[in-house]
């Protein structure tokens, strides 16, 4: 990464994350077809709902013939973390119009958020619409195309897990986390590692008592509080 906030740099810096979208997107398409959804329904779900883990939740609820309201509520709970993520990006885009901020927030993903947090380490805490919008669009259309591809080949593929596609997104996040830690110039590495350790322990213990979808939001909030307290008291 460098301090350039141009379309070209956005393309170059976002492309390494594409593999994660491709792997999970294809898996969503395959699982969707196996669950009885049409190719068009899989594509529309990816373009309208646009959420990796939540689409698996929706598919499982459709199979169980759940009502519309529980599906909407589950979708909100799983994706509620995006409210916190968007709020943390917003201060770096204060100069952009309300419309542009709404557009950026609507297409923001976990991956483009992490890329943004990495980017501000090189730009003196600056972001702009051009860079983030291109990054978001690459993620959006890659996800849609990958889901469509998975739906089209769904009848010919048995279990997507045997190809390791389900681990692709995890691998991408591990790489992004590593880049975030080594590129952060203001927060000490020890503090970052403590927050990572706290998050892992909270998830490990929380999975025993709390449903995974709710746990994601809860650990996100707790991790933020833990990081703030540790930074202000000990660092």
């Amino acid at each position: 990464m460098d301090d350039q906030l141009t379309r070209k740099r956005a393309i170059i810096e976002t492309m390494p994350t594409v593999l994660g979208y491709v792997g999970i997107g294809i898996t969503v398409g395959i699982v969707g077809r196996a669950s009885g959804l049409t190719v068009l329904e899989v594509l529309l779900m990816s373009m309208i709902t646009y959420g990796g883990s939540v689409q698996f939740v929706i598919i499982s609820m459709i199979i169980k013939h759940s009502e519309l309201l529980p599906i909407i509520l589950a979708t909100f709970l799983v994706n509620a973390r995006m409210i916190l993520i968007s709020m943390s990006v917003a201060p770096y885009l204060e100069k952009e119009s309300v419309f542009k901020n709404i557009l950026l927030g609507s297409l923001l993903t976990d991956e483009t958020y992490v890329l943004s947090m990495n980017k501000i380490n090189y730009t003196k805490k600056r972001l702009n619409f051009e860079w983030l919008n291109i990054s978001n669009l690459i993620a959006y259309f890659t996800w849609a195309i990958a889901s469509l591809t998975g739906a089209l080949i769904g009848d010919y593929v048995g279990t997507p897990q045997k190809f390791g596609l389900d681990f692709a997104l995890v691998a991408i996040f591990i790489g992004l986390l590593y880049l975030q830690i080594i590129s952060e110039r203001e927060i000490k590495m020890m503090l970052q590692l403590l927050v990572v350790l706290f998050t892992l322990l909270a998830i490990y213990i929380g999975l025993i008592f709390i449903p995974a979808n709710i746990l994601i939001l809860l650990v996100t909030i707790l991790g933020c509080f833990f990081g703030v307290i540790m930074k202000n008291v000990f660092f």
Side-chain angles (χ1 to χ4, degrees):
M1 283 192 172
D2 58 23
D3 60 353
Q4 307 261 338
L5 288 165
T6 62
R7 294 181 182 181
K8 181 179 179 180
R9 290 307 305 174
I11 295 172
I12 294 173
E13 291 161 357
T14 305
M15 289 307 294
T17 68
V18 164
L19 180 60
Y21 299 114
V22 172
I24 302 300
I26 290 176
T27 304
V28 166
I30 294 173
V31 172
R33 285 292 291 138
S35 303
L37 298 179
T38 66
V39 173
L40 180 59
E41 287 171 340
V42 171
L43 177 62
L44 289 176
M45 181 170 62
S46 288
M47 297 189 72
I48 296 172
T49 305
Y50 188 42
S53 57
V54 76
Q55 288 181 225
F56 288 106
V57 173
I58 292 173
I59 291 171
S60 65
M61 294 183 74
I62 290 175
I63 294 174
K64 296 176 182 177
H65 305 289
S66 299
E67 298 293 333
L68 180 60
L69 186 59
I71 293 177
I72 292 175
L73 180 59
T75 300
F76 173 77
L77 289 175
V78 174
N79 278 351
R81 71 187 187 284
M82 301 308 298
I83 298 174
L84 299 175
I85 287 175
S86 298
M87 289 174 63
S88 66
V89 175
Y92 304 106
L93 297 161
E94 290 181 342
K95 295 182 180 180
E96 305 292 349
S97 66
V98 173
F99 173 77
K100 288 183 176 180
N101 274 282
I102 291 175
L103 181 61
L104 292 174
S106 298
L107 295 182
L108 192 68
T109 67
D110 296 302
E111 293 85 352
T112 56
Y113 166 72
V114 176
L115 282 174
S116 299
M117 294 300 98
N118 278 332
K119 189 66 176 179
I120 62 175
N121 292 319
Y122 298 88
T123 61
K124 297 181 180 179
K125 305 298 181 182
R126 292 183 299 110
L127 288 176
N128 64 11
F129 175 80
E130 182 179 42
W131 183 89
L132 186 51
N133 185 52
I134 292 297
S135 183
N136 280 343
L137 289 177
I138 291 174
Y140 180 72
F141 286 110
T142 300
W143 179 258
I145 293 171
S147 299
L148 175 61
T149 302
L152 291 172
I153 67 174
D155 294 333
Y156 308 100
V157 178
T159 306
Q161 286 81 0
K162 66 184 179 182
F163 299 105
L165 296 177
D166 55 328
F167 187 71
L169 197 60
V170 177
I172 289 295
F173 272 119
I174 292 174
L176 290 172
L177 175 61
Y178 170 75
L179 292 175
Q180 172 66 26
I181 291 175
I182 64 173
S183 63
E184 176 60 52
R185 300 176 181 179
E186 294 188 1
I187 301 176
K188 293 183 178 180
M189 183 175 292
M190 180 56 68
L191 175 57
Q192 297 181 68
L193 294 176
L194 285 173
V195 173
V196 171
L197 180 60
F198 172 84
T199 302
L200 292 175
L201 289 174
I203 291 176
Y204 180 78
I205 296 172
L207 283 172
I208 302 174
F209 308 101
I210 305 172
N213 295 330
I214 299 176
L215 183 63
I216 293 173
L217 178 61
L218 180 61
V219 171
T220 299
I221 296 173
L222 290 176
C224 291
F225 275 114
F226 177 79
V228 170
I229 292 172
M230 291 296 293
K231 181 179 180 181
N232 291 330
V233 176
F234 299 103
F235 292 86

